[in-house]
Amino acid sequence: MKRFKGRSVKFLSTATARVMDMSGTSRRPTLKDIAAETGLSMAAVSYALRGLHGTPETRQRVQDAADRLGYQADPVARALASGRSGSIGVLCASLEDLWQQRVAAALGRELLAPDRNAWIIDSAGDADRQLELAQHLVDHRADAIVVIPIDPAAKGWAKIAQQAPVIAIGDALPGAKAKSEVILDNESGVSTALRRLSDAGHRDIAVLSPTRRLEVERSAEEIAQRVAADLGLKIRLLQCPHDLAGATAVARTLLSGTARPTGILALADSMAFGVYAAGRELGLRIPDDLSLLGYDDQPMSQLLTPPLSTFHWPLDDLVSHVVSRVTSAVDTNRRVRRTTLTPTLIERGSVAAPPSK
């Protein structure tokens, strides 16, 4: 460092000067600049920066030069060279659903790596919008798409799966060749729930669901209708949003009539919270006047009065399966066999015999 008339002047290396003085403005340093700075070939510099070849001393010399020049890898150039963007799309059905928030947050943590990141995207409960967002991820060269599908039977999934590896969570994609599917065993969950209510004496039951996918084979809604018929239950399927205000409004309408059900299965604990709120407004006590089952064991469900009986799904296992399938799809492009996860009923006190007439 030298001083001229009170000013500090830092002498730059020849390579650094070239980065800055060609047009009088700075430009982004390149591998060529690092090669000139170190006297190595561009290939040697590239390998050294990625830690693939070269002695530790050479790699350190290259890294020091890169730091000195302010070099940063160009993700676009790297994607073009490798065929990968390093981005994984996580396409949720609705982030109003607390369970999906937990899944998305866990996947975001586990998919984060030096050369990989996750884009968490909310479809806001719109099946058509979800397909548009999936195509957007394809167009932006996402290495893989993890999706909690709103409409698994939508024909658009076949096209998406042809363009990028797709890993489905919750429901299978029957018309698409997904790289893998981590399926929730709704047959077990819904059957156990309705039998629990039936064994307690309930015959009039409402099922709150984010969609009415009766045409989708083995969907939770289709299973509920089939099992209810086998058990001789009167069942009502009601579409219900996940947010508290929306779920409360649906539950309020359901419970305000004279022919209200004695039992409710909410296919998300976030919907069950709305039933608690509406019941409190209407002076109904759980479980004395109304029995209620949730479906995804949110931590705050234990804090309700009474605590909500619900189903626990192995979230850690789900995330582990999804991450391993993403890695397999990106690295080997191989299809991995479907995995099915089974829930466990957690009894906490929100189910009892129906009130006597």
Side-chain angles (χ1 to χ4, degrees), residues 24-278:
T25 58
S26 63
R27 63 175 175 79
R28 187 181 190 129
T30 66
L31 291 178
K32 185 176 180 181
D33 298 316
I34 301 175
E37 177 84 349
T38 59
L40 299 170
S41 68
M42 289 177 58
V45 167
S46 176
Y47 286 135
L49 286 173
R50 288 182 288 164
L52 299 178
H53 297 299
T55 65
E57 293 77 12
T58 298
R59 290 198 294 269
Q60 187 60 54
R61 182 157 61 97
V62 170
Q63 188 60 58
D64 290 344
D67 294 341
R68 205 159 48 242
L69 293 171
Y71 172 82
Q72 291 183 328
D74 185 343
V76 175
R78 182 175 59 193
L80 290 173
S82 67
R84 299 179 185 176
S85 67
S87 297
I88 308 298
V90 178
L91 192 51
C92 299
S94 172
L95 285 175
E96 293 283 0
D97 180 6
L98 299 176
W99 182 80
Q100 292 187 48
Q101 288 183 25
R102 293 170 66 197
V103 170
L107 285 173
R109 289 191 298 269
E110 295 301 317
L111 288 171
L112 186 62
D115 59 347
R116 187 176 63 196
N117 62 83
W119 294 340
I120 310 298
I121 302 176
D122 184 9
S123 304
D126 186 329
D128 293 335
R129 177 63 174 158
Q130 188 173 55
L131 282 170
E132 292 175 4
L133 291 167
Q135 186 61 55
H136 182 79
L137 287 169
V138 169
D139 294 342
H140 283 74
R141 298 181 179 275
D143 292 335
I145 298 172
V146 177
V147 62
I148 303 174
I150 299 170
D151 182 5
K155 294 180 179 179
W157 286 118
K159 178 184 175 184
I160 297 297
Q162 289 174 353
Q163 300 175 83
V166 174
I167 296 91
I169 296 176
D171 291 298
L173 301 176
K177 293 183 178 180
K179 286 299 178 185
S180 190
E181 297 158 331
V182 181
I183 305 303
L184 302 182
D185 187 359
N186 286 314
E187 186 76 42
S188 173
V190 172
S191 297
T192 300
L194 293 181
R195 285 191 171 87
R196 174 67 182 91
L197 291 169
S198 177
D199 290 345
H202 297 275
R203 291 293 174 266
D204 189 349
I205 297 170
V207 176
L208 305 184
S209 168
T211 59
R212 290 178 56 82
R213 303 173 302 174
L214 299 178
E215 73 286 354
V216 178
E217 186 179 1
R218 302 183 74 83
S219 68
E221 297 78 16
E222 183 272 333
I223 293 167
Q225 279 205 331
R226 172 163 43 82
V227 172
D230 291 342
L231 296 175
L233 305 176
K234 177 184 176 182
I235 191 170
R236 286 176 261 182
L237 286 172
L238 297 175
Q239 193 163 349
C240 181
H242 290 282
D243 66 282
L244 181 60
T248 301
V250 170
R252 184 188 301 116
T253 300
L254 173 66
L255 298 175
S256 295
T258 54
R260 66 171 181 260
T262 62
I264 295 178
L265 167 61
L267 291 177
D269 283 17
S270 53
M271 298 175 188
F273 299 160
V275 178
Y276 275 84

Side-chain angles (χ1 to χ4, degrees), residues 99 102 184-193 196 265 269 293-298 308-315 317 340-348:
W99 182 80
R102 293 170 66 197
L184 302 182
D185 187 359
N186 286 314
E187 186 76 42
S188 173
V190 172
S191 297
T192 300
R196 174 67 182 91
L265 167 61
D269 283 17
L293 278 173
Y295 204 61
D296 48 36
D297 192 23
Q298 291 304 312
L308 176 65
S309 295
T310 185
F311 287 81
H312 175 77
W313 298 87
L315 181 62
D317 290 347
T340 301
L341 301 177
T342 301
T344 302
L345 175 61
I346 307 297
E347 295 270 13
R348 293 199 180 110

Side-chain angles (χ1 to χ4, degrees), residues 1-4 7-13 16 20 68:
M1 188 83 67
K2 291 191 178 181
R3 295 184 178 274
F4 294 91
R7 296 182 182 178
S8 296
V9 178
K10 182 178 181 181
F11 287 106
L12 305 177
S13 71
T16 307
M20 300 185 65
R68 205 159 48 242

